[in-house]
Amino acid sequence: MKDPVNTGRSGKLEVLAPAGSFEALIAAIHCGADAIYLGTGKFNARQNAQNFDAAALRQATALCHSHGVKLYLTLNTLVRQNEMHEALLVAQQACEIGVDAIILQDIGLARRIRASAPKIQLHASTQLSCHTPAGVRELADMGFSRVILAREMSRDEIAECAGNGAELEVFVHGALCMSVSGQCMMSAMLGGRSGNRGLCAGPCRLPFMPTLGQAVPKSDQKVLSLKDLSLIEYVSELASIGVCSLKIEGRMKRPEYVAAATSCYSAASTGTKNIDPNLLNDLQAVFSRSGFTDGYYTGRRGKNMFGSRTYEDVTAAAPVLKRLAQLYSKETGRIPVKLKFVVRSGQPAVLFAKDDSGNFAKAFGDVPQPAINRPLDEVSAAAQLQKTGGTPFFVKITCDIEHGLAMSLSSINSLRRQVLDDLLKQRSLPHPVPFNKTVSPPPPLSARSVLKKEKMPVLVARFANANQIPKNTNADVIVLPLDTPVDILSELSIKHSVFVEVPRGMFGSEKSTLDKLIGITKAGVSAALCNNIGAIALARTANIAVVAYFGMNITNVDALNALVQHGVSAAVLSQELTFKQMSFARLALTTCGIVAYGRQPLMLTRNCPYSAFAGCDRCKGKASLTDRRGICFPITCSGGCSELLNSAPLWLADQLSKLPPLDFIVLHFTIESRQQTADIIDAYRSGSPPPENFTRGLYKRGVE
């Protein structure tokens, strides 16, 4: 086990609470959050939350800092080329306000911010799908000081990521997406609202029925809906394996939920074993989906992890709301302040104050008078000075009072209020991070390009297995899974250019993945398709050319340049871009392409919904889910994960002349037979019209 990393305040784990509104911000502060994350504008992954405009963000930052709480800004969506300037303005504003960190998904935006503001802390969003030690190291090398790990990881997988150059943040409570974050296109494809753009419509919460490729009667079964996460029992263990921050999901949830969750995890983070059971019950009542799950963390995946929001769940919230609102109605002192009260004959009384950040204040009061009855003593003075209710302070008091003098208690109270107000004012002052918008990132080192042809795009055929390859295929490049036997790869490489595809999910399999990559270097394999940052690092280590595949979500030239800097030789652009939005490819320093055919993966999940409800033994490669309209979505499995595919294949064979300037196209075969793959490759060579059931994807209609 790696050495634990613990950077929480006062030696404890950081409790990171969500705030989708100002009331939720207050709830988080008053209930013990060490840090709060929130969004502003259109570049945050919860655009439907109330969020914070520029003035409110400044106010929120000042309030957090005055109360000893850090503030992290979520700038965690994909950024299109024409939006980069606007996104950078948001980052500049955040630096001027003095936020403590910016949470990012887009590695192009991260590269630009790093160049303009090298002192700002960058946190890699869970939308970057990082779930391996190599991924953590790669993101650290890109300038991220913290990585928010994928929610699907087990205890041992999290532990392996510790000590790799970046702090680790882990989701411990709240909603679980069915798909690995950053790898879901379901809302975008089915509803035109992208989860990568902060507008997920949540179609996974609708009814779906496990089937074997045939239409079935309507069902209300929700096999893509997981229970909410709860790791309250494992907080001390998380600290021991190297986690530094406990993240609570919930920017779309009400303040009472934020108060309950923050209170529970704040208590747990300090080592409190006996958390009020009534509060734990209230936490489940205020929001859950048929209870909670710890299935990913414990490795107990399966049907027990699934659950949906029932009528009973909804009605359970009402009775506890008033009680939970009381949790944040008053503030508890959390910032230590040393007070020194000096009273001398013939001189104004003076109160000195110093907080834990070194801020200093003093206030002068009335000149004390000779005592007629009872003189002022340390006990009575301290009784007034320790009345810090309504402030974030608790005080340690030293008194130096000359005997025989008297002062009014109201005068002492006034001194206390003056120095504490002064400290609050000092603490709330912004501490800007320098931001130079004229600085550009250094150009990436040149990299060899693959998949380039003079007159027409290279045709890349990606197969799910070798049995799909036509006998006399005329594809320019053949791509097979990494676990394809070496002798098959070697034989194919005699006549064809052969690539391999690294699994999109490498949970717990980094070592075996690297071993396979090293093992195929003598099989004539030219490159590896990589869907996440960890896979890129492994392919580079194995000295294999890297092609960034669609899972890398490339939407701007800065992201391309960041990947070229890390060894990428070719890149597949995001499937959420229109052809017009791909114009930045002309500026690329590497070859670019798109997926032009295939049943596009809508989800990557570590908990197969068919297996959980119907069993693996019945699947035989024909599993699917059927929605409430009777439409079937196939499921494929590999590398310990499953993919939910679109019901209709993407078809662009008749549109090739209308594509933007690209170097290659990918035909992404999944469930097709050998004859079907042969016919489709021929169709793309001849420009044939589409079949009866097809989609143009998002390339023309776009996505919000």
Side-chain angles (χ1 to χ4, degrees):
M1 183 184 300
K2 303 287 193 309
D3 292 334
V5 177
N6 192 331
T7 61
R9 183 169 58 85
S10 302
K12 75 182 187 70
L13 280 166
E14 176 186 87
V15 175
L16 178 55
S21 67
F22 219 93
E23 188 179 356
L25 181 84
I26 298 295
I29 292 172
H30 286 189
C31 292
D34 300 296
I36 293 171
Y37 66 103
L38 52 80
T40 184
K42 68 180 185 180
F43 299 112
N44 82 91
R46 290 293 182 272
Q47 287 193 48
N48 291 325
Q50 184 175 324
N51 290 315
F52 295 73
D53 61 18
L57 176 60
R58 186 176 296 274
Q59 184 182 359
T61 305
L63 182 65
C64 284
H65 288 172
S66 69
H67 287 66
V69 177
K70 292 181 179 181
L71 187 140
Y72 305 148
L73 179 68
T74 58
L75 201 53
N76 57 342
T77 63
L78 297 178
V79 179
R80 295 170 187 154
Q81 187 65 37
N82 66 332
E83 299 171 328
M84 185 60 71
H85 177 70
E86 185 181 356
L88 281 170
L89 289 178
V90 177
Q92 181 179 1
Q93 179 188 68
C95 289
E96 291 170 351
I97 290 172
V99 304
D100 296 282
I102 301 176
I103 303 172
L104 296 160
Q105 174 186 11
D106 195 294
I107 58 174
L109 179 58
R111 187 169 187 264
R112 294 289 297 273
I113 294 174
R114 190 69 177 165
S116 294
K119 292 186 178 180
I120 190 68
Q121 297 290 303
L122 303 182
H123 294 179
S125 170
T126 191
Q127 290 285 119
L128 275 163
S129 316
C130 182
H131 56 276
T132 62
V136 174
R137 290 192 296 273
E138 200 77 354
L139 289 171
D141 192 52
M142 286 183 166
F144 290 97
S145 61
R146 179 182 293 186
V147 174
I148 307 165
L149 294 175
R151 305 178 209 214
E152 294 76 15
M153 296 174 68
S154 70
R155 176 200 178 280
D156 291 344
E157 291 159 1
I158 294 170
E160 282 298 310
C161 287
N164 282 286
E167 296 175 349
L168 301 182
E169 181 176 303
V170 170
F171 276 93
V172 293
H173 197 91
L176 281 175
C177 295
M178 187 68 201
S179 176
V180 175
S181 294
Q183 301 300 315
C184 183
M185 286 183 56
M186 192 170 193
S187 177
M189 286 297 300
L190 303 188
R193 296 172 58 188
S194 169
N196 284 315
R197 301 275 295 171
L199 288 169
C200 179
C204 51
R205 303 296 182 184
L206 296 173
F208 287 86
M209 183 78 173
T211 54
L212 288 173
Q214 77 280 9
V216 296
K218 291 183 179 180
S219 168
D220 61 359
Q221 195 167 7
K222 296 182 178 180
V223 301
L224 290 178
S225 180
L226 297 174
K227 295 177 181 176
D228 277 16
L229 170 69
S230 176
L231 298 183
I232 192 75
E233 297 178 33
Y234 307 101
V235 167
S236 61
E237 186 175 77
L238 286 165
S240 72
I241 63 175
V243 172
C244 80
S245 181
L246 310 175
K247 188 167 194 171
I248 299 166
E249 182 276 339
R251 282 194 287 145
M252 298 287 288
K253 295 191 175 79
R254 57 192 309 150
E256 292 88 349
Y257 162 88
V258 174
T262 304
S263 296
C264 286
Y265 283 90
S266 182
S269 70
T270 59
T272 302
K273 294 183 178 179
N274 299 316
I275 302 172
D276 183 353
N278 293 321
L279 181 57
L280 288 172
N281 290 336
D282 287 351
L283 176 57
Q284 177 166 332
V286 74
F287 198 95
S288 76
R289 290 181 172 87
S290 307
F292 296 128
T293 180
D294 58 12
Y296 284 134
Y297 182 78
T298 59
R300 295 193 292 263
R301 300 183 294 275
K303 188 175 182 179
N304 288 336
M305 285 188 65
F306 291 78
S308 57
R309 189 88 169 133
T310 64
Y311 175 78
E312 290 76 14
D313 293 330
V314 175
T315 56
V320 305
L321 294 179
K322 187 175 181 180
R323 187 160 61 244
L324 292 178
Q326 294 300 311
L327 289 174
Y328 63 96
S329 61
K330 295 181 180 179
E331 187 164 19
T332 302
R334 63 194 297 170
I335 301 169
V337 172
K338 293 180 180 179
L339 295 180
K340 184 176 182 180
F341 185 43
V342 179
V343 180
R344 289 282 183 270
S345 176
Q347 301 176 20
V350 60
L351 181 63
F352 302 92
K354 187 176 182 180
D355 68 11
D356 62 342
S357 298
N359 296 305
F360 177 80
K362 65 179 178 179
F364 294 96
D366 299 332
V367 176
Q369 302 299 313
I372 298 175
N373 296 313
R374 183 179 176 184
L376 180 66
D377 58 23
E378 291 188 10
V379 173
S380 57
Q384 302 307 308
L385 294 173
Q386 66 186 6
K387 293 180 178 180
T388 59
T391 77
F393 304 116
F394 65 92
V395 294
K396 181 179 180 181
I397 303 165
T398 302
C399 292
D400 184 0
I401 303 173
E402 186 177 317
H403 183 67
L405 301 176
M407 280 187 68
S408 69
L409 298 182
S410 62
S411 178
I412 298 173
N413 289 337
S414 177
L415 288 172
R416 184 198 69 240
R417 286 192 293 268
Q418 288 180 62
V419 295
L420 295 185
D421 286 348
D422 193 351
L423 287 180
L424 272 178
K425 196 173 295 183
Q426 291 181 55
R427 295 177 66 89
S428 64
L429 291 174
H431 296 280
V433 178
F435 191 101
N436 189 339
K437 60 184 178 183
T438 65
V439 175
S440 298
L445 300 175
S446 59
R448 60 180 174 137
S449 292
V450 297
L451 295 171
K452 194 158 189 174
K453 200 171 184 177
E454 292 297 324
K455 293 184 179 180
M456 63 177 290
V458 174
L459 193 154
V460 179
R462 177 271 190 195
F463 300 97
N465 60 74
N467 293 329
Q468 292 177 307
I469 303 174
K471 181 174 289 187
N472 295 307
T473 181
N474 61 349
D476 297 312
V477 178
I478 290 174
V479 182
L480 284 169
L482 178 58
D483 60 3
T484 303
V486 173
D487 57 339
I488 294 178
L489 296 174
S490 297
E491 184 178 347
L492 286 169
S493 67
I494 296 172
K495 295 182 178 180
H496 304 279
S497 179
V498 177
F499 294 3
V500 293
E501 182 183 9
V502 181
R504 290 173 74 194
M506 297 188 298
F507 296 94
S509 63
E510 181 177 284
K511 184 180 183 303
S512 62
T513 300
L514 180 58
D515 289 344
K516 289 173 184 176
L517 284 167
I518 294 172
I520 63 169
T521 54
K522 295 181 180 179
V525 173
S526 304
L529 269 60
C530 299
N531 280 287
N532 63 70
I533 200 71
I536 288 173
L538 297 182
R540 195 179 63 240
T541 299
N543 199 28
I544 295 176
V546 179
V547 178
Y549 205 26
F550 66 85
M552 290 304 303
N553 294 322
I554 299 167
T555 59
N556 57 72
V557 73
D558 292 287
L560 278 171
N561 288 341
L563 293 172
V564 169
Q565 190 71 50
H566 285 257
V568 167
S569 301
V572 173
L573 304 184
S574 168
Q575 297 181 85
E576 294 188 5
L577 294 174
T578 63
F579 291 153
K580 184 177 180 180
Q581 290 164 349
M582 295 176 186
S583 60
F584 67 86
R586 297 189 184 96
L587 307 173
L589 298 177
T590 189
T591 49
C592 296
I594 60 168
V595 174
Y597 168 83
R599 292 179 180 267
Q600 296 160 286
L602 304 181
M603 281 188 175
L604 174 71
T605 178
R606 203 181 181 188
N607 200 349
C608 177
Y610 186 88
S611 174
F613 287 86
C616 261
D617 55 336
R618 296 181 57 194
C619 171
K620 295 181 173 51
K622 297 181 179 180
S624 62
L625 298 183
T626 299
D627 71 5
R628 64 195 189 284
R629 298 169 298 170
I631 298 174
C632 289
F633 298 84
I635 297 174
T636 60
C637 296
S638 66
C641 293
S642 61
E643 290 183 321
L644 182 69
L645 307 179
N646 201 7
S647 58
L650 172 69
W651 189 273
L652 296 179
D654 57 329
Q655 302 287 308
L656 297 182
S657 62
K658 301 176 183 178
L659 299 186
L662 295 166
D663 300 296
F664 64 95
I665 60 172
V666 181
L667 310 185
H668 187 91
F669 297 118
T670 51
I671 61 172
E672 292 83 358
S673 67
R674 177 179 290 181
Q675 185 59 54
Q676 287 173 325
T677 63
D679 293 343
I680 292 165
I681 292 171
D682 288 343
Y684 271 75
R685 289 299 192 191
S686 61
S688 299
E692 182 177 347
N693 183 35
F694 76 99
T695 178
R696 300 294 192 194
L698 300 169
Y699 294 141
K700 291 197 172 184
R701 61 187 169 100
V703 67
E704 289 186 56

